[in-house]
Amino acid sequence: MRVSSFVAVALLQASGFAFAAPSLESRGAKASRRPNHAVAPFHSGKAFPASSNRTKTCTVKSSGNGTDDSPAILKAIDDCNDGGHVVFGAGEKYTIGTALDLTHLKHIDLDIQGTLQFSNDTTYWQSHSFNQTFQNATTFFQLGGEDVNVYGGGTIDGNGQVWYDLYAANIYVLRPILFGTIGLKGGSISDLNLRYSPQWYNFVANSSDVVFSNITIAGGSVSKNPAKNTDGWDTYRSSNIVIQNSHIDNGDDCVSFKPNSTDIVVQNLVCNGSHGISVGSLGQYLGEVDNVKNVYVYNISMSNASDGARIKVWPGISSALSGDLQGGGGLGAVSNITYDTMVLDNVDYAIEITQCYGQKNITLCNEHPANLTISDITIKHFTGTTSDTYDPLIGYLVCSSEKVCSNIEIEDIQVLSPSGTNEFACGSIAGIEQEVNCTAVS
Ligand SMILES: *[C@@H]1O[C@H](CO)[C@@H](O)[C@H](O)[C@H]1NC(C)=O
Ligand SMILES: *[C@@H]1O[C@H](CO)[C@@H](O)[C@H](O)[C@H]1NC(C)=O
Ligand SMILES: *[C@@H]1O[C@H](CO)[C@@H](O)[C@H](O)[C@H]1NC(C)=O
Ligand SMILES: *[C@@H]1O[C@H](CO)[C@@H](O)[C@H](O)[C@H]1NC(C)=O
Ligand SMILES: *[C@@H]1O[C@H](CO)[C@@H](O)[C@H](O)[C@H]1NC(C)=O
Ligand SMILES: *[C@@H]1O[C@H](CO)[C@@H](O)[C@H](O)[C@H]1NC(C)=O
Ligand SMILES: *[C@@H]1O[C@H](CO)[C@@H](O)[C@H](O)[C@H]1NC(C)=O
Ligand SMILES: *[C@@H]1O[C@H](CO)[C@@H](O)[C@H](O)[C@H]1NC(C)=O
Ligand SMILES: *[C@@H]1O[C@H](CO)[C@@H](O)[C@H](O)[C@H]1NC(C)=O
Ligand SMILES: *[C@@H]1O[C@H](CO)[C@@H](O)[C@H](O)[C@H]1NC(C)=O
Ligand SMILES: *[C@@H]1O[C@H](CO)[C@@H](O)[C@H](O)[C@H]1NC(C)=O
Ligand SMILES: *[C@@H]1O[C@H](CO)[C@@H](O)[C@H](O)[C@H]1NC(C)=O
């Protein structure tokens, strides 16, 4: 067994050399083997399409002096699209100063062993980043198509500092998202280091059958201006997405499920400094339908965060949380969501469910129940401690009416506040007093 698999490895490496680009360009650049990270232990139940073998290698040479390497990158991708393997060599530093539309990719592997860094020309990026419409999101590039694998052990660096400082001066500056997975059907993104994103690290939209595995996310500000809104992943209009085996150091949601995220598995993550694993916010836009269904979140380590598990829904009437955050009155459903096994350390609320997002007056919220229902939620096997922020409370479970919130099962929550309590603020959830120790809210 061992000997034959050794032979197979050797053959694969040999075939990589056989298809290498001309010697001048391929010097020092060796194709990586495509990793094969199993989706485990949970699975959405939907199959992933097989990825074909690549039969050609294209190597991208960097200028190495900070000049925009985008023309060479685009050329290699064009040369190798539909069946090839593009290598960004180890130890090389590539500068990207052009917004790259990569939504036409097909049967291609991007093997990023070196570092890709986006230029710090904020004027250029504000007018050329891709507008994704949802929440004014823009992305440095957009990667989509079918059967695309991105891996290699390298780094993608958003050069965020200049953006953190710019945002502090003007909150309406549109900061690009580092990695835009837009309209990808089938693929994997793995073994990469994502650094210094100007805002969210990953936006996954209009995509299906995509696995993210073994990603590290980190990068803060060195000035007095914090790196804000640095969500790890936001999924939107996407299904059968797996996010697993990754380490996230950030300052906003670790993973967030935005409207129309279905059949999602998130497992084996270490999240530090985040706002938790969040559904929503949903129901922000009057009359629009937002659904989040069939989500399984398993085995998360959550430290120094505002929340562990969180579900945020706006009430049935408009309200304003702040100048650039207002809404309510949307329709839809959050259903079949499971959070199973989370270890907490210094987290403000272990669990937070609200159907009064953006509305502090609970009486007013209850007068206008959400038109977006929450049902079939299971939250189980949580251990650890909360922070002293809400002590004696360890969580918040408040719907706008029992009629629009059903079958919320909370079990085996072995979490204590620093003072040793395990109280939840509870409101408008039938039977919740039998599941946790409640303090009524009004
Ligand atoms: C792909 O490559 C692997 C390893 O070389 C080989 O076992 C397999 O048969 C190939 N698949 C196809 C469809 O060519
Ligand atoms: C950077 O390197 C490229 C290719 O190696 C060269 O064409 C270009 O003139 C160099 N630019 C500067 C500013 O040194
Ligand atoms: C932008 O990057 C260039 C080259 O790396 C550097 O010389 C310059 O100081 C940077 N500008 C800002 C505003 O950070
Ligand atoms: C995206 O929208 C912004 C603000 O409306 C605009 O300045 C920019 O040119 C747009 N970008 C593209 C690529 O259309
Ligand atoms: C997704 O697809 C829809 C429908 O084709 C399109 O309107 C939208 O701009 C696409 N992108 C995003 C981010 O929603
Ligand atoms: C999007 O940008 C516009 C123009 O700056 C602003 O009025 C609006 O509030 C922004 N929307 C969101 C959701 O941030
Ligand atoms: C994860 O990716 C790194 C490179 O970023 C690699 O060194 C490591 O072996 C990968 N881990 C696994 C389990 O594949
Ligand atoms: C979400 O799905 C619902 C039901 O299919 C649809 O009505 C709605 O327009 C979708 N919303 C978005 C943002 O795509
Ligand atoms: C609920 O979601 C899980 C995945 O988390 C899925 O396996 C199951 O089939 C879903 N149940 C229903 C009734 O759709
Ligand atoms: C909360 O809303 C209720 C019902 O509309 C109203 O009577 C009450 O004055 C409000 N409380 C505050 C503090 O605004
Ligand atoms: C929203 O819910 C309210 C009751 O809370 C109901 O009167 C109203 O008809 C609903 N709106 C829609 C569009 O379903
Ligand atoms: C409620 O608190 C008591 C006293 O700390 C504890 O024994 C009990 O297990 C708690 N109930 C639940 C459901 O956590």
Side-chain angles (χ1 to χ4, degrees):
M1 254 334 251
R2 230 164 247 196
V3 173
S4 65
S5 60
F6 174 78
V7 170
V9 170
L11 281 173
L12 264 180
Q13 288 178 340
S15 69
F17 281 118
F19 292 107
S23 61
L24 185 71
E25 295 206 343
S26 64
R27 194 147 44 94
K30 187 169 149 189
S32 315
R33 283 191 71 189
R34 182 192 298 163
N36 182 19
H37 296 294
V39 171
F42 287 91
H43 194 282
S44 73
K46 313 270 185 240
F48 290 91
S51 187
S52 60
N53 287 342
R54 310 306 186 220
T55 56
K56 183 179 178 187
T57 299
C58 303
T59 301
V60 189
K61 191 153 170 25
S62 69
S63 71
N65 58 17
T67 325
D68 185 10
D69 289 306
S70 302
I73 294 172
L74 279 179
K75 181 171 189 307
I77 288 175
D78 281 349
D79 289 349
C80 256
N81 203 15
D82 210 353
H85 182 148
V86 178
V87 180
F88 298 78
E92 298 243 25
K93 184 164 175 181
Y94 301 84
T95 299
I96 302 184
T98 305
L100 302 177
D101 186 354
L102 307 176
T103 47
H104 60 289
L105 301 184
K106 205 175 167 185
H107 310 303
I108 187 169
D109 284 14
L110 304 182
D111 179 0
I112 301 170
Q113 301 173 26
T115 296
L116 302 183
Q117 187 183 51
F118 291 91
S119 72
N120 59 13
D121 183 348
T122 54
T123 307
Y124 171 83
W125 289 112
Q126 283 180 80
S127 53
H128 292 84
S129 296
F130 297 99
N131 288 329
Q132 304 296 349
T133 314
F134 176 70
Q135 290 188 352
N136 289 344
T138 71
T139 58
F140 276 127
F141 64 93
Q142 43 187 10
L143 181 143
E146 61 175 297
D147 179 18
V148 179
N149 303 296
V150 188
Y151 52 88
T155 298
I156 303 180
D157 179 343
N159 220 337
Q161 188 63 49
V162 65
W163 294 99
Y164 311 147
D165 294 335
L166 200 60
Y167 183 72
N170 176 7
I171 61 162
Y172 294 104
V173 163
L174 298 179
R175 295 159 293 157
I177 290 164
L178 185 62
F179 202 117
T181 302
I182 312 293
L184 178 61
K185 317 282 181 218
S188 65
I189 321 287
S190 49
D191 302 359
L192 291 175
N193 306 300
L194 306 185
R195 296 290 180 266
Y196 303 103
S197 180
Q199 61 139 335
W200 300 350
Y201 278 85
N202 287 281
F203 183 45
V204 184
N206 286 353
S207 295
S208 55
D209 309 329
V210 180
V211 180
F212 291 84
S213 210
N214 190 28
I215 305 285
T216 73
I217 286 179
S221 173
V222 295
S223 75
K224 65 179 195 306
N225 305 314
K228 289 226 174 123
N229 311 111
T230 51
D231 293 11
W233 280 266
D234 281 77
T235 60
Y236 177 67
R237 292 176 155 170
S238 292
S239 72
N240 198 21
I241 307 296
V242 174
I243 299 169
Q244 63 177 15
N245 307 341
S246 293
H247 194 296
I248 300 95
D249 270 292
N250 71 341
D252 208 312
D253 292 336
C254 187
V255 182
S256 181
F257 312 111
K258 302 298 190 199
N260 295 5
S261 296
T262 54
D263 301 303
I264 314 278
V265 173
V266 172
Q267 56 195 349
N268 307 331
L269 301 189
V270 176
C271 304
N272 181 44
S274 80
H275 291 179
I277 311 253
S278 303
V279 174
S281 68
L282 302 179
Q284 186 172 0
Y285 304 106
L286 188 68
E288 284 188 20
V289 180
D290 294 346
N291 294 320
V292 173
K293 296 184 175 174
N294 306 341
V295 174
Y296 208 99
V297 179
Y298 174 72
N299 190 29
I300 309 295
S301 160
M302 183 66 69
S303 308
N304 308 310
S306 67
D307 293 272
R310 181 158 72 153
I311 300 176
K312 300 185 281 189
V313 169
W314 292 78
I317 187 175
S318 278
S319 59
L321 197 60
S322 65
D324 60 351
L325 196 52
Q326 38 193 293
L331 312 169
V334 177
S335 69
N336 189 24
I337 314 290
T338 301
Y339 287 90
D340 170 1
T341 309
M342 192 179 288
V343 180
L344 309 169
D345 179 30
N346 194 33
V347 173
D348 299 343
Y349 276 144
I351 305 169
E352 180 174 4
I353 297 178
T354 177
Q355 230 175 9
C356 299
Y357 190 64
Q359 178 54 264
K360 294 210 163 65
N361 185 338
I362 299 295
T363 311
L364 191 56
C365 175
N366 291 349
E367 284 173 0
H368 304 277
N371 293 76
L372 201 151
T373 59
I374 301 181
S375 62
D376 302 325
I377 312 295
T378 301
I379 302 181
K380 61 188 180 187
H381 312 317
F382 279 30
T383 56
T385 51
T386 53
S387 70
D388 60 13
T389 305
Y390 300 112
D391 194 345
L393 296 178
I394 61 161
Y396 186 92
L397 304 169
V398 178
C399 284
S400 53
S401 160
E402 291 188 3
K403 294 199 178 83
V404 288
C405 234
S406 61
N407 194 19
I408 315 268
E409 302 290 340
I410 302 201
E411 56 191 77
D412 185 29
I413 305 299
Q414 309 284 337
V415 175
L416 292 176
S417 72
S419 69
T421 57
N422 59 12
E423 294 283 312
F424 281 79
C426 302
S428 304
I429 299 177
I432 197 71
E433 307 75 20
Q434 276 82 60
E435 301 177 18
V436 298
N437 287 316
C438 282
T439 302
V441 295
S442 57

